[in-house]
Structures are given as C-alpha cells and as structure tokens.
C-alpha cells in the first residue's frame, strides 16, 4: 500500500455529510458500501483491502465510506458484524428446549452455519483476516466477547458462567478451525452427525456440568 493510501485509510476525512455532488446518500448507499466491504475483505484480507478500493467497488467517493463507517478498522468491524449476523443467534439455542439438550442444540447450530457455503465463505474470510492481522484480530475478539460469549454467559444461571461460555466456544471454534479453515483430516471429511455426537456432550458439560 502506498503512503498516501495508508494515511487515507488510517484517518477519516471530515465528519460532515459529503456533498451531493460526490454521490447520493441514504440507507441503500450504506448497504452498497457494506456489501462491497465484505467482498473486498473476503477477497483481499484486512491488510490488502483499502477504503479507496472499497469505495471503488461500491461506486462511491471514498469520503462516503468515511462518512458512514469512519476508519478502515471501523469498516471492517461493520463488515464482520454483518457477516456474523447468523452466528449472533447462537445464544438463542439455549432457550429452545430443555437444559440437558443445550449442548447438542448449540453444536448443531454452530456447525450448521459452517456447513452452509453461503455463510461459510464470508466466515472463512473473517477468520483468516483475524489470524493474519492484529487489528482484525482485536475486532474479532471484541465481537466474540460482547455479542456471543457475553450473551451466552448471561443466559447461564451459574457463578462461573463466563468461563463456561468461553470453554464451550473454544471447543466449537477449535473444531471449526481444524475442519473448515485448516482442513485437517480425518476431521475435515468426517460426517457432521458423527462430530455432533462426539462434541455435543463435551459442550453440554462445559455449559451445565458440575
């Protein structure tokens, strides 16, 4: 990235609304920018993506990207949040049935998201960016802690709920990394029902066990 492009990504332009001569504004424009950002981060990763490139892909002036989202880090966080929208429903799995089945429900829910190509592809892009860049990793950690683990912990009426939620998440994230990101065999090719049968009791133990 050139010095000019790096400076342009690091510091937002003036915070006022861009003039209409630059492009039209509104919810549709914001969504258009967000879609372009998700594609840019997916294809290029965090380090190689730029606000200028996102703006070009969205067909808008870079000032509009800054207007709606701020810095590149803030654009990435918005894109990650949008990508993780299906995952953010995971805490609801705790309330969909009896407590003794929460491990299986949560395991099926998380693995189901990874099994679906429509949700797996953008998730892979986010995880790879987080693995290769500390700024992206910090955004990823904030989202996981606040939006997923925190919500799960609040639904567990136990004194060590936060630790239990983190251990359950570590189990599922570790499996996702080995199966879908690193593609370690035989896990990568194993039948998902076999994985659920072996993993769900462990997740159950983390969430509700002694």
């Amino acid at each position: 990235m050139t010095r000019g492009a790096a400076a342009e990504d690091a510091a937002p332009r003036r915070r006022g609304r861009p003039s209409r001569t630059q492009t039209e504004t509104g919810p549709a424009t914001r969504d258009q920018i967000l879609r372009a950002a998700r594609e840019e981060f997916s294809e290029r990763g965090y380090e190689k993506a730029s606000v200028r490139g996102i703006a070009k892909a969205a067909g808008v002036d870079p000032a509009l990207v800054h207007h709606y989202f701020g810095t590149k880090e803030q654009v990435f966080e918005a894109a990650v949040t949008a990508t993780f929208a299906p995952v953010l429903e995971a805490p609801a799995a705790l309330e969909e049935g009896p407590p003794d089945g929460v491990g299986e429900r949560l395991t099926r829910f998380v693995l189901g998201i990874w099994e679906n190509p429509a949700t797996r592809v953008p998730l892979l892009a986010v995880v790879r960016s987080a693995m290769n860049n500390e700024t992206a990793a910090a955004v990823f950690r904030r989202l996981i802690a606040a939006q997923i683990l925190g919500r799960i912990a609040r639904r567990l009426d136990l004194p060590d709920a936060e630790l239990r939620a983190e251990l359950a998440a570590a189990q599922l994230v570790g499996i996702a990394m080995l199966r879908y990101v690193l593609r370690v065999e035989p896990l990568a090719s194993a039948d998902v029902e076999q994985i659920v049968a072996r993993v769900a009791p462990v997740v159950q133990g983390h969430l509700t066990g002694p």
Side-chain angles (χ1 to χ4, degrees):
M1 179 184 297
T2 64
R3 183 175 299 178
E8 184 262 343
D9 280 343
R13 297 185 182 182
R14 63 183 180 85
R15 304 297 295 181
R17 178 177 290 276
S19 67
R20 288 186 178 275
T21 57
Q22 292 174 323
T23 188
E24 291 296 321
T25 60
T29 302
R30 187 184 188 281
D31 291 343
Q32 182 178 338
I33 294 171
L34 188 56
R35 285 194 299 272
R38 292 173 63 181
E39 292 176 1
E40 285 290 300
F41 287 122
S42 177
E43 293 178 3
R44 301 177 182 276
Y46 182 84
E47 291 188 350
K48 293 184 179 180
S50 68
V51 168
R52 189 179 299 278
I54 292 168
K56 182 178 180 181
V60 302
D61 189 280
L64 270 180
V65 180
H66 289 305
H67 168 70
Y68 282 114
F69 300 103
T71 64
K72 186 172 86 167
E73 179 179 347
Q74 291 169 316
V75 180
F76 181 76
E77 186 158 7
V80 169
T81 301
T83 298
F84 265 75
V87 185
L88 298 182
E89 298 300 319
L94 297 177
E95 296 182 341
E96 293 175 353
D100 60 359
V102 63
E104 181 176 349
R105 294 196 300 276
L106 188 59
T107 300
R108 285 189 180 280
F109 180 87
V110 172
L111 292 182
I113 289 172
W114 281 98
E115 287 290 309
N116 183 349
T119 47
R120 181 175 66 244
V121 172
L123 281 174
L124 284 172
V126 170
V127 171
R128 285 167 178 157
S129 290
M131 291 174 63
N132 296 322
N133 182 273
E134 178 54 34
T135 301
V139 171
F140 186 71
R141 285 194 298 268
R142 284 200 303 270
L143 180 66
I144 292 293
Q147 298 295 331
I148 299 177
L149 297 182
R151 290 171 59 195
I152 289 177
R154 286 192 292 273
R155 293 171 188 257
L156 298 175
D157 188 19
L158 295 166
D160 56 348
E162 289 187 7
L163 176 60
R164 288 172 176 270
E166 289 180 2
L167 287 171
Q171 188 78 37
L172 294 172
V173 170
I175 291 170
M177 289 289 293
L178 291 175
R179 178 174 171 86
Y180 304 103
V181 180
L182 301 177
R183 298 197 58 78
V184 174
E185 295 292 355
L187 180 59
S189 301
D191 182 77
V192 70
E193 287 299 322
Q194 181 183 7
I195 298 172
V196 170
R198 291 184 175 275
V199 173
V202 180
V203 175
Q204 182 76 41
H206 287 321
L207 294 175
T208 64

